[in-house]
Amino acid sequence: LPLKIGRLAMKVRARAAEAADAVIRSLLVEPEGVAKEYALSSLVCIEGEEESCVQKSFNLTLPTAYVPESESAGGRVTADYMGPSIEGLDDLLRLPYGCGEQNMLNFAPGVYITRYLTTISKLDEKTKDKALKVMQTGYQREMTFQRSDGSYSAFGDRDSCGSMW
């Protein structure tokens, strides 16, 4: 029973009267529970043209219930207001699933994110490819919710009537 988080070497031996063997494998022990993240932000304005050194401290408080040795901290510095939000936009790109309405909730952000990042000249190939896959999949799925009369509904022809959503 592993009592420590991280990679552990696990050795298994087998012996019989005629032979013996052993194997060593790496076992990744992860903390139980649900990971939680907390974000702290701070704006620093540097005035003047000379080089400046800025030091900023943060107090971090651990939750009352956490898995020992699972805590970590990280930092990021960006030179513009929109930096953090732009960096995380591709996390909003999710493959569509569910009924027609749920499909649209995951399909539509790909359109808006692609348009926005293209407008500000920040659309990279990885995000573009992911967004196109989401949009193509979402569009194909949305077509499955079209009713025989040409309208759409959350469950296609299984609904009594179509809607304008």
Side-chain angles (χ1 to χ4, degrees):
L1 180 66
L3 299 174
K4 190 174 181 184
I5 295 170
R7 291 215 172 268
L8 301 175
M10 180 180 232
K11 185 174 188 177
V12 177
R13 293 182 211 161
R15 263 189 226 143
E18 303 290 320
D21 200 0
V23 65
I24 298 174
R25 295 282 187 250
S26 178
L27 175 68
L28 176 60
V29 180
E30 295 180 334
E32 62 185 346
V34 177
K36 292 191 176 183
E37 292 185 14
Y38 302 93
L40 299 170
S41 298
S42 180
L43 176 64
V44 177
C45 294
I46 301 174
E47 295 184 23
E49 307 240 350
E50 73 256 6
E51 287 188 33
S52 299
C53 180
V54 176
Q55 187 173 349
K56 189 77 176 177
S57 298
F58 294 97
N59 292 321
L60 304 176
T61 306
L62 292 173
T64 54
Y66 72 96
V67 177
E69 297 183 32
S70 68
E71 64 272 15
S72 66
R76 180 177 8 185
V77 177
T78 184
D80 67 55
Y81 293 114
M82 294 301 290
S85 61
I86 291 171
E87 289 173 17
L89 281 179
D90 66 326
D91 292 335
L92 297 174
L93 297 171
R94 295 190 184 109
L95 280 176
Y97 63 91
C99 70
E101 292 173 43
Q102 292 169 326
N103 182 67
M104 286 300 289
L105 284 172
N106 287 297
F107 168 33
V111 176
Y112 301 116
I113 290 168
T114 303
R115 184 180 293 168
Y116 174 69
L117 292 176
T118 299
T119 301
I120 64 168
S121 301
K122 298 276 184 177
L123 183 62
D124 59 60
E125 284 302 312
K126 180 182 171 192
T127 304
K128 180 180 177 181
D129 291 346
K130 186 176 179 181
L132 285 174
K133 181 178 180 182
V134 165
M135 290 187 284
Q136 289 168 344
T137 303
Y139 180 79
Q140 291 301 318
R141 283 191 50 78
E142 203 58 37
M143 292 297 100
T144 66
F145 299 107
Q146 186 173 22
R147 299 169 44 80
S148 55
D149 65 3
S151 67
Y152 291 83
S153 73
F155 299 101
D157 278 324
R158 291 184 291 165
D159 285 331
S160 60
C161 63
S163 70
M164 295 296 293
W165 58 262

